[in-house]
Amino acid sequence: MNTLKRLLGFVWLLTGPAILVYLLMEASKKIALPTSTSNDVLQWSIIIGIFCPIALGFMLFGYYSLKGEYDLDPEFHPK
Amino acid sequence: MSSKQKYTQGIWSVITASSVGTLIEWYDFYIFGSLATIIASQFFPEDKGSSALLSTLAIFAAGFIVRPFGALVFGRLGDMVGRKYTFLLTLVLMGGSTFCIGLIPGYKSIGVAAPLLVLLLRLIQGLALGGEYGGAATYVAEHAPIERRGFFTSWIQTTATLGLFVSLGIILTTRNTLGVEAFNEWGWRIPFLVSSLLVIVSIYIRMKMEESPLFTKLKKEGKTSSNPLKESFTKKDNLKMVLLALFGAVMGQGVIWYTGQFYAQSFIENVCKIDFAQSRTILLWAIAFATPFFVFFGGLSDKVGRKWIMMLGMLLGILSYRSIYQYFLDHSSDKNKTEIVAQTTVERKATLIESSGDSLVKTITLRHFTDGAHFKETVTDTFYVAKASLGVKPLKKMEKVLGDGDYWMFIFLVFFQVLLVTMVYGPIAAFLVELFPTKIRYTSMSLPYHIGNGVFGGLVPFISTLIIEYTKTAENPAGTPLAGLWYPMAVATVCLIIGSLYLSNEVDHNVRDDENVYIHPHHDNHHA
């Protein structure tokens, strides 16, 4: 279980920047559309502004997970 | 009176005082959302100038985005000054700003000051709500016996749903009493003004309450935190728990909640085109039947643990959403219904616009179906004198009223979604309280709660609608209505994986208050 958690930590660590890149690409694509308005720019700015710190938090969660901070302590969970 | 009787009486007073205030805060928060369309027409201009930007900010984002900031500001205050005075302050701020929204003159009277004032008051509402919930949950949990924390805090959990119930009830009653026209013109202000009466009663009740016993003990011993923000978010042992609470429980809980209660209503009204009153009564019935389950699952979590009840709620949501919303689509469409053609009526009315010589033609078609449903389509078209004006699309409005069978099935399916809400939301207050020590609890639990609910959950209607918009193409102008469900399903799936693997199902009875105890997410401290 601990190995799985640490491996997944790596996944979470990579997911954070992946989400950010995806959002930035989507935003630039949608804003570039000829039909886009100033509201589109505002909405995407808000979405990116909100999810940036969350993605960073997710990376940190992944980092802690990778480092074994969430490992089960065998002393308290004997088989 | 025995000490046990006194204690029981005491805990119920605590729950009543906390719940009434929290219910009113939710009521205040929801009436703004439920009346968003009317508010937009009253306070914002119809053109697309700078005020239109403000309207987007105010209605879409402001109330939700500032909730985590409210959690930080009032959480800090609550951990330093005390729970009682902090959530008394949030109540005053929420009630005051709601009352003031009901008094602001419209855009036609004071121009751009109107949307600016609404935005400001909406920000205060969001801040106040951000501070309220953590205080109420902490306050009740710190009074409750440790083995029944889930049961007692679940009463606080009912308030969010009951707040929506009361807000819908008052809005519908006012609208039905005054009539649609008067309600849209000035009657919408009444639900805002009514809030002040509720707040006064609640303040009176809360003033008579005493400070939480655990906080009082800490204060006497001089062990309160001098900087809860720093302790919560710069100490690794606490920060990792904040992150775990957010990604392993609250973000999934938030999307399940907002999908079941808000996106469901929005979908039924805007995508299925069910009429205003029926779409609201569907939600009202569903909430009425489901609300007792908050307490049921809260109590159950004391016996079997919090984790798996919440995870099961998320799993069922992920598995069932697409089928439920597909049912909504299929049974609100005329494709699966048999029309009683003999009863179809078409009413056409033309009005001459004297200034231009053009004519406004309104055609109302009413179709009846064998299952008792009837669909009303209103098409408003302008016939121009000048040929150059031809080609403007007519305005179409569809209002569908379901037959009894489908109506009750819709209620059942929304009830099922709210039942999932009770599974994820009933135990969450006790779960969060038990993750953090008393001295930084208000701050530490409020932030993940409001990011999970205010941001992940609060943005469900907006992001889901945005996804549907992006599926619209020239070949498929209606888009893919179920595409919007991918957002809550994806968030809930990630949360389910993290929660299932990383969270413990054990209940921490000591709530990590002994500083010498090793802080660990996976076992009770009394083992340590």
Side-chain angles (χ1 to χ4, degrees):
Chain A
M1 184 64 89
N2 286 344
T3 313
L4 179 63
K5 282 185 194 175
R6 289 186 183 213
L7 282 173
L8 279 173
F10 191 64
V11 175
W12 312 136
L13 191 61
L14 293 179
T15 307
I19 290 170
L20 279 183
V21 170
Y22 173 76
L23 284 177
L24 286 170
M25 281 170 60
E26 279 297 302
S28 56
K29 215 160 62 181
K30 303 301 179 196
I31 290 167
L33 288 173
T35 49
S36 77
T37 64
S38 51
N39 269 355
D40 289 307
V41 179
L42 182 72
Q43 285 169 358
W44 277 102
S45 311
I46 291 169
I47 289 175
I48 289 168
I50 292 170
F51 282 103
C52 259
I54 290 174
L56 290 174
F58 201 58
M59 286 167 66
L60 190 59
F61 173 73
Y63 174 74
Y64 284 153
S65 181
L66 190 63
K67 298 291 276 182
E69 290 289 337
Y70 298 110
D71 282 2
L72 287 169
D73 190 336
E75 187 187 335
F76 298 106
H77 291 81
K79 285 182 183 174
Chain B
M1 192 185 284
S2 71
S3 60
K4 194 181 174 186
Q5 278 175 317
K6 270 186 193 170
Y7 178 79
T8 307
Q9 206 175 44
I11 185 74
W12 284 109
S13 307
V14 165
I15 289 169
T16 308
S18 305
S19 302
V20 169
T22 312
L23 187 146
I24 292 164
E25 293 228 15
W26 283 114
Y27 165 84
D28 288 354
F29 198 72
Y30 289 140
I31 48 174
F32 191 98
S34 300
L35 296 171
T37 320
I38 296 172
I39 289 168
S41 69
Q42 290 284 332
F43 293 119
F44 303 102
E46 286 174 6
D47 62 55
K48 291 184 178 176
S50 58
S51 296
L53 285 178
L54 280 175
S55 76
T56 311
L57 260 177
I59 292 173
F60 151 62
F64 290 108
I65 292 171
V66 296
R67 274 170 60 178
F69 295 102
L72 293 178
V73 172
F74 293 107
R76 179 177 179 271
L77 204 62
D79 281 330
M80 291 174 75
V81 179
R83 283 75 164 113
K84 177 186 167 180
Y85 290 104
T86 306
F87 75 176
L88 204 55
L89 179 63
T90 61
L91 187 62
V92 173
L93 283 175
M94 178 61 105
S97 49
T98 306
F99 182 74
C100 290
I101 291 175
L103 294 178
I104 298 174
Y107 184 83
K108 285 175 189 164
S109 309
I110 58 170
V112 77
L116 276 174
L117 282 170
V118 172
L119 177 62
L120 179 71
L121 292 168
R122 184 67 178 156
L123 289 172
I124 297 173
Q125 275 193 325
L127 281 173
L129 191 64
E132 164 70 21
Y133 173 81
T138 303
Y139 188 78
V140 172
E142 288 176 355
H143 278 87
I146 51 175
E147 72 282 1
R148 299 198 72 195
R149 224 179 249 141
F151 172 74
F152 285 119
T153 53
S154 66
W155 289 90
I156 290 286
Q157 304 305 93
T158 63
T159 59
T161 296
L162 286 175
L164 177 63
F165 187 87
V166 175
S167 75
L168 288 174
I170 290 186
I171 287 168
L172 278 178
T173 308
T174 316
R175 193 173 182 263
N176 290 340
T177 310
L178 298 176
V180 178
E181 227 169 89
F183 181 79
N184 288 348
E185 203 175 314
W186 60 269
W188 61 270
R189 292 179 186 272
I190 291 174
F192 285 93
L193 302 177
V194 163
S195 162
S196 63
L197 296 174
L198 301 173
V199 168
I200 289 167
V201 174
S202 184
I203 288 173
Y204 175 74
I205 297 172
R206 280 195 175 177
M207 286 288 280
K208 294 205 290 192
M209 290 159 64
E210 286 172 13
E211 185 51 87
S212 134
L214 290 184
F215 183 81
T216 308
K217 183 172 173 279
L218 276 193
K219 205 167 185 178
K220 269 186 193 163
E221 293 168 354
K223 286 183 179 171
T224 52
S225 173
S226 57
N227 194 342
L229 289 178
K230 196 177 166 192
E231 278 197 52
S232 294
F233 307 118
T234 60
K235 281 191 178 175
K236 190 180 71 184
D237 283 331
N238 283 315
L239 180 60
K240 73 180 184 187
M241 300 311 290
V242 170
L243 294 171
L244 183 60
L246 174 61
F247 298 120
V250 192
M251 74 172 184
Q253 172 259 304
V255 294
I256 295 288
W257 180 18
Y258 278 79
T259 305
Q261 284 188 201
F262 301 98
Y263 187 60
Q265 191 198 330
S266 163
F267 191 88
I268 287 171
E269 190 179 357
N270 300 318
V271 179
C272 301
K273 306 288 180 193
I274 306 299
D275 97 317
F276 181 93
Q278 198 176 49
S279 61
R280 276 154 186 79
T281 56
I282 287 169
L283 191 63
L284 278 173
W285 279 115
I287 288 174
F289 293 134
T291 298
F293 287 94
F294 281 108
V295 181
F296 172 76
F297 286 117
L300 188 65
S301 75
D302 286 326
K303 295 183 175 74
V304 302
R306 329 263 183 233
K307 172 183 163 179
W308 290 114
I309 296 175
M310 296 191 292
M311 296 303 132
L312 183 63
M314 285 179 215
L315 179 67
L316 291 174
I318 297 162
L319 295 178
S320 63
Y321 280 156
R322 282 188 69 87
S323 312
I324 291 173
Y325 285 79
Q326 186 64 57
Y327 184 94
F328 288 155
L329 278 179
D330 292 344
H331 288 257
S332 58
S333 159
D334 56 5
K335 283 178 191 161
N336 300 318
K337 296 184 191 296
T338 311
E339 187 176 347
I340 309 170
V341 182
Q343 288 184 13
T344 301
T345 57
V346 181
E347 190 185 312
R348 189 170 285 127
K349 193 180 167 190
T351 316
L352 183 70
I353 305 167
E354 287 184 7
S355 57
S356 61
D358 299 334
S359 299
L360 198 66
V361 180
K362 192 182 264 189
T363 310
I364 300 171
T365 309
L366 190 60
R367 297 158 69 205
H368 294 265
F369 299 88
T370 50
D371 66 353
H374 52 92
F375 294 179
K376 180 180 162 187
E377 188 183 45
T378 308
V379 180
T380 309
D381 203 356
T382 311
F383 286 87
Y384 296 97
V385 177
K387 279 187 181 176
S389 304
L390 286 172
V392 178
K393 280 186 181 174
L395 191 70
K396 284 185 184 177
K397 189 183 173 196
M398 178 66 89
E399 290 166 283
K400 299 175 182 175
V401 176
L402 298 167
D404 282 348
D406 279 337
Y407 177 64
W408 285 102
M409 195 58 195
F410 271 50
I411 290 172
F412 172 75
L413 292 174
V414 178
F415 160 79
F416 177 72
Q417 291 182 72
V418 184
L419 186 73
L420 302 184
V421 175
T422 66
M423 291 177 80
V424 294
Y425 198 59
I428 199 92
F431 166 78
L432 288 173
V433 160
E434 286 160 358
L435 277 184
F436 304 104
T438 308
K439 65 178 189 171
I440 54 165
R441 182 175 297 142
Y442 201 151
T443 310
S444 299
M445 74 167 280
S446 294
L447 189 73
Y449 175 84
H450 286 289
I451 293 177
N453 286 284
V455 176
F456 280 102
L459 295 185
V460 166
F462 171 76
I463 292 181
S464 296
T465 309
L466 197 67
I467 294 172
I468 296 174
E469 283 300 311
Y470 288 143
T471 61
K472 290 179 181 173
T473 58
E475 298 80 39
N476 179 20
T480 312
L482 298 187
L485 292 170
W486 288 118
Y487 168 69
M489 286 165 67
V491 172
T493 303
V494 173
C495 189
L496 176 67
I497 294 169
I498 294 175
S500 300
L501 290 174
Y502 292 76
L503 290 181
S504 167
N505 197 39
E506 293 170 36
V507 173
D508 185 346
H509 291 300
N510 292 334
V511 203
R512 297 169 38 201
D513 273 348
D514 182 350
E515 286 193 51
N516 297 319
V517 171
Y518 168 62
I519 296 167
H520 197 287
H522 293 290
H523 54 77
D524 296 348
N525 283 336
H526 59 259
H527 293 305

